[in-house]
Amino acid sequence: MQSLKILLLGTAIGLAVALPATASSSAWYNSEGGKVRLVTSGEPDDAGRIQGVLDIVLKPGWKTYWRDPGDAGVPPQLDISASTNIADATLSFPAPQRHDDGYGKWAGYNYPVSLPVTFTLATPDQPAVIDADIFLGICETICIPVQTRLSVDPASDPDNADDAALVKASFTALPAPARPDFGVKVLPGDHETLVVEASFPGDPQAADFFVAGERDYMFGTSSRAEKDGKLIFTVPILDRPSTTPTDGGLHYTLTSSAGAVEGLLPFP
């Protein structure tokens, strides 16, 4: 998607001012290609966590990105630094689709999608207000960065059944944790490729492997081959950090006709 123009017009980028929250969901922010809001399930759990979703409704023909948007996309981002009593917010991602729009190949969604968010309170027994600065790309033949602030007071409507149902359904729809019979293992590769062997139920032709470039890694599109009855994915490493990280790992998602799983890979 390198040749796509990214609109940086004030009308395309939402410079919305945070408004007082009146429910466990924010107001919708409308853009040319769709609309976005933030929804929460209300009160925090005993560990001081509030579940929510970044709810994205796309117009027909528009799409948005997975956690790794390719070489020219805009991944969804959420900054909660302006919030009250919110220490952290972690986005999760449903299984993506692979797209080829003629400009490049990338992973994302061409349908309305709700991205689960877990908010962690700094002090669990104190009130919290979420003021989240949102940045994401919504694309048709051009990509429009959507930037706005969404505000929610989770305690203002904690028993909202519709909000709670949306949040629950979005977390339920996430890929399951990888397991020995449905996941990947890393095979010997080299400095320029990541090679994994996939195990999964269902039709091999329906299987696909997505790995997110993080911590200064950048990956190309995976290729697939069958070897000794095993499905092998090879992913070009386009860029990498000067020093290999020793903590954490790379997020991956493996999809098949039987569903999807996710996990972490060691840094290559």
Side-chain angles (χ1 to χ4, degrees):
M1 302 183 65
Q2 286 179 315
S3 60
L4 292 185
K5 295 181 179 179
I6 296 181
L7 297 184
L8 297 176
L9 301 176
T11 55
I13 300 179
L15 299 178
V17 177
L19 298 175
T22 58
S24 53
S25 62
S26 73
W28 286 102
Y29 173 74
N30 292 287
S31 74
E32 182 176 347
K35 58 184 180 178
V36 60
R37 65 173 177 162
L38 191 63
V39 180
T40 73
S41 59
E43 297 289 348
D45 62 17
D46 292 341
R49 296 184 299 252
I50 297 174
Q51 290 188 328
V53 297
L54 182 60
D55 197 18
I56 305 168
V57 174
L58 299 171
K59 294 180 181 178
W62 291 75
K63 54 259 186 186
T64 193
Y65 296 100
W66 185 57
R67 64 168 77 241
D68 185 329
D71 59 0
V74 181
Q77 300 169 52
L78 189 150
D79 180 357
I80 45 82
S81 58
S83 300
T84 300
N85 196 31
I86 301 292
D88 186 51
T90 302
L91 275 170
S92 299
F93 292 83
Q97 301 168 325
R98 194 171 301 281
H99 297 271
D100 185 348
D101 53 19
Y103 299 98
K105 296 179 179 180
W106 51 279
Y109 315 94
N110 61 359
Y111 51 86
V113 63
S114 296
L115 305 180
V117 191
T118 302
F119 297 97
T120 302
L121 273 62
T123 306
D125 59 350
Q126 295 298 313
V129 174
I130 300 168
D131 287 314
D133 292 312
I134 307 298
F135 186 63
L136 68 153
I138 296 179
C139 303
E140 192 184 34
T141 55
I142 55 175
C143 281
I144 298 177
V146 174
Q147 183 175 346
T148 188
R149 177 171 289 185
L150 301 177
S151 298
V152 181
D153 178 355
S156 65
D157 189 14
D159 299 319
N160 188 303
D162 291 339
D163 289 350
L166 174 62
V167 171
K168 182 178 180 180
S170 299
F171 274 85
T172 300
L174 287 174
R179 56 183 194 261
D181 64 334
F182 195 176
V184 302
K185 67 176 182 180
V186 178
L187 300 181
D190 55 40
H191 199 69
E192 298 180 351
T193 56
L194 169 67
V195 184
V196 300
E197 177 187 312
S199 300
F200 53 90
D203 180 6
Q205 294 303 314
D208 207 347
F209 171 69
F210 303 87
V211 61
E214 300 165 308
R215 306 284 290 275
D216 294 329
Y217 282 90
M218 180 180 294
F219 296 97
T221 303
S222 63
S223 60
R224 51 187 291 150
E226 291 193 40
K227 182 179 180 181
D228 300 326
K230 301 291 186 180
L231 183 59
I232 308 298
F233 289 97
T234 301
V235 187
I237 302 174
L238 304 179
D239 200 4
R240 62 188 305 135
S242 56
T243 303
T244 303
T246 57
D247 62 309
L250 297 169
H251 289 91
Y252 80 87
T253 297
L254 177 65
T255 62
S256 82
S257 58
V261 295
E262 62 184 2
L264 286 178
L265 293 178
F267 294 106

mmCIF file of all heavy atoms in Angstrom, residues 9-28:
data_model
loop_
_atom_site.group_PDB
_atom_site.id
_atom_site.type_symbol
_atom_site.label_atom_id
_atom_site.label_comp_id
_atom_site.label_asym_id
_atom_site.label_seq_id
_atom_site.Cartn_x
_atom_site.Cartn_y
_atom_site.Cartn_z
ATOM 1 N N LEU A 9 -5.808 15.955 5.926
ATOM 2 C CA LEU A 9 -6.645 17.136 5.995
ATOM 3 C C LEU A 9 -7.348 17.200 7.340
ATOM 4 O O LEU A 9 -7.713 16.193 7.915
ATOM 5 C CB LEU A 9 -7.680 17.100 4.866
ATOM 6 C CG LEU A 9 -7.110 17.037 3.435
ATOM 7 C CD1 LEU A 9 -8.254 16.912 2.455
ATOM 8 C CD2 LEU A 9 -6.273 18.256 3.137
ATOM 9 N N GLY A 10 -7.596 18.396 7.802
ATOM 10 C CA GLY A 10 -8.285 18.554 9.075
ATOM 11 C C GLY A 10 -9.649 17.925 9.077
ATOM 12 O O GLY A 10 -10.132 17.455 10.102
ATOM 13 N N THR A 11 -10.314 17.880 7.908
ATOM 14 C CA THR A 11 -11.628 17.252 7.851
ATOM 15 C C THR A 11 -11.540 15.751 7.929
ATOM 16 O O THR A 11 -12.514 15.081 8.269
ATOM 17 C CB THR A 11 -12.338 17.639 6.549
ATOM 18 O OG1 THR A 11 -11.501 17.297 5.443
ATOM 19 C CG2 THR A 11 -12.640 19.124 6.529
ATOM 20 N N ALA A 12 -10.392 15.181 7.587
ATOM 21 C CA ALA A 12 -10.249 13.729 7.612
ATOM 22 C C ALA A 12 -9.760 13.234 8.949
ATOM 23 O O ALA A 12 -10.006 12.107 9.339
ATOM 24 C CB ALA A 12 -9.265 13.287 6.532
ATOM 25 N N ILE A 13 -9.029 14.101 9.655
ATOM 26 C CA ILE A 13 -8.512 13.702 10.955
ATOM 27 C C ILE A 13 -9.404 14.309 12.025
ATOM 28 O O ILE A 13 -9.601 15.514 12.076
ATOM 29 C CB ILE A 13 -7.059 14.192 11.150
ATOM 30 C CG1 ILE A 13 -6.172 13.589 10.062
ATOM 31 C CG2 ILE A 13 -6.555 13.826 12.517
ATOM 32 C CD1 ILE A 13 -4.742 14.032 10.176
ATOM 33 N N GLY A 14 -9.955 13.481 12.889
ATOM 34 C CA GLY A 14 -10.850 13.981 13.924
ATOM 35 C C GLY A 14 -10.063 14.636 15.032
ATOM 36 O O GLY A 14 -9.303 13.993 15.722
ATOM 37 N N LEU A 15 -10.218 15.930 15.188
ATOM 38 C CA LEU A 15 -9.551 16.634 16.267
ATOM 39 C C LEU A 15 -10.588 16.945 17.337
ATOM 40 O O LEU A 15 -10.748 18.065 17.791
ATOM 41 C CB LEU A 15 -8.906 17.916 15.713
ATOM 42 C CG LEU A 15 -7.852 17.669 14.631
ATOM 43 C CD1 LEU A 15 -7.311 18.996 14.109
ATOM 44 C CD2 LEU A 15 -6.721 16.810 15.164
ATOM 45 N N ALA A 16 -11.318 15.917 17.719
ATOM 46 C CA ALA A 16 -12.450 16.108 18.613
ATOM 47 C C ALA A 16 -11.976 16.435 20.020
ATOM 48 O O ALA A 16 -10.973 15.926 20.496
ATOM 49 C CB ALA A 16 -13.311 14.851 18.640
ATOM 50 N N VAL A 17 -12.711 17.282 20.671
ATOM 51 C CA VAL A 17 -12.443 17.609 22.072
ATOM 52 C C VAL A 17 -13.196 16.628 22.949
ATOM 53 O O VAL A 17 -14.332 16.267 22.659
ATOM 54 C CB VAL A 17 -12.889 19.052 22.365
ATOM 55 C CG1 VAL A 17 -12.696 19.382 23.840
ATOM 56 C CG2 VAL A 17 -12.124 20.026 21.486
ATOM 57 N N ALA A 18 -12.562 16.178 24.018
ATOM 58 C CA ALA A 18 -13.219 15.227 24.914
ATOM 59 C C ALA A 18 -14.458 15.856 25.532
ATOM 60 O O ALA A 18 -14.424 16.976 26.027
ATOM 61 C CB ALA A 18 -12.251 14.792 26.006
ATOM 62 N N LEU A 19 -15.552 15.120 25.488
ATOM 63 C CA LEU A 19 -16.803 15.571 26.066
ATOM 64 C C LEU A 19 -17.093 14.765 27.328
ATOM 65 O O LEU A 19 -16.634 13.638 27.472
ATOM 66 C CB LEU A 19 -17.946 15.386 25.063
ATOM 67 C CG LEU A 19 -17.819 16.176 23.755
ATOM 68 C CD1 LEU A 19 -18.954 15.802 22.820
ATOM 69 C CD2 LEU A 19 -17.799 17.672 24.016
ATOM 70 N N PRO A 20 -17.848 15.329 28.262
ATOM 71 C CA PRO A 20 -18.171 14.565 29.464
ATOM 72 C C PRO A 20 -18.870 13.264 29.112
ATOM 73 O O PRO A 20 -19.794 13.238 28.306
ATOM 74 C CB PRO A 20 -19.109 15.512 30.225
ATOM 75 C CG PRO A 20 -18.781 16.878 29.716
ATOM 76 C CD PRO A 20 -18.398 16.683 28.270
ATOM 77 N N ALA A 21 -18.421 12.190 29.708
ATOM 78 C CA ALA A 21 -19.026 10.885 29.435
ATOM 79 C C ALA A 21 -20.330 10.759 30.201
ATOM 80 O O ALA A 21 -20.439 11.191 31.341
ATOM 81 C CB ALA A 21 -18.061 9.777 29.849
ATOM 82 N N THR A 22 -21.327 10.172 29.549
ATOM 83 C CA THR A 22 -22.633 10.035 30.190
ATOM 84 C C THR A 22 -23.083 8.580 30.236
ATOM 85 O O THR A 22 -24.207 8.295 30.630
ATOM 86 C CB THR A 22 -23.690 10.860 29.439
ATOM 87 O OG1 THR A 22 -23.744 10.426 28.064
ATOM 88 C CG2 THR A 22 -23.351 12.336 29.477
ATOM 89 N N ALA A 23 -22.255 7.658 29.803
ATOM 90 C CA ALA A 23 -22.626 6.246 29.813
ATOM 91 C C ALA A 23 -21.354 5.422 29.835
ATOM 92 O O ALA A 23 -20.253 5.957 29.824
ATOM 93 C CB ALA A 23 -23.472 5.903 28.587
ATOM 94 N N SER A 24 -21.538 4.094 29.875
ATOM 95 C CA SER A 24 -20.358 3.229 29.856
ATOM 96 C C SER A 24 -19.807 3.085 28.448
ATOM 97 O O SER A 24 -18.898 2.296 28.204
ATOM 98 C CB SER A 24 -20.702 1.859 30.434
ATOM 99 O OG SER A 24 -21.831 1.303 29.794
ATOM 100 N N SER A 25 -20.347 3.838 27.499
ATOM 101 C CA SER A 25 -19.767 3.941 26.163
ATOM 102 C C SER A 25 -19.632 5.410 25.803
ATOM 103 O O SER A 25 -20.350 6.264 26.315
ATOM 104 C CB SER A 25 -20.645 3.221 25.132
ATOM 105 O OG SER A 25 -21.926 3.814 25.065
ATOM 106 N N SER A 26 -18.693 5.700 24.897
ATOM 107 C CA SER A 26 -18.506 7.079 24.452
ATOM 108 C C SER A 26 -19.500 7.401 23.338
ATOM 109 O O SER A 26 -20.197 6.521 22.817
ATOM 110 C CB SER A 26 -17.075 7.258 23.922
ATOM 111 O OG SER A 26 -16.929 6.609 22.661
ATOM 112 N N ALA A 27 -19.538 8.656 22.950
ATOM 113 C CA ALA A 27 -20.257 9.019 21.733
ATOM 114 C C ALA A 27 -19.504 8.460 20.520
ATOM 115 O O ALA A 27 -18.300 8.189 20.584
ATOM 116 C CB ALA A 27 -20.360 10.541 21.639
ATOM 117 N N TRP A 28 -20.221 8.256 19.419
ATOM 118 C CA TRP A 28 -19.594 7.839 18.173
ATOM 119 C C TRP A 28 -18.797 9.005 17.591
ATOM 120 O O TRP A 28 -19.235 10.158 17.653
ATOM 121 C CB TRP A 28 -20.632 7.413 17.143
ATOM 122 C CG TRP A 28 -21.277 6.093 17.392
ATOM 123 C CD1 TRP A 28 -22.516 5.877 17.910
ATOM 124 C CD2 TRP A 28 -20.728 4.795 17.091
ATOM 125 N NE1 TRP A 28 -22.784 4.524 17.972
ATOM 126 C CE2 TRP A 28 -21.705 3.835 17.474
ATOM 127 C CE3 TRP A 28 -19.519 4.350 16.560
ATOM 128 C CZ2 TRP A 28 -21.506 2.474 17.334
ATOM 129 C CZ3 TRP A 28 -19.319 2.987 16.414
ATOM 130 C CH2 TRP A 28 -20.301 2.060 16.798
#
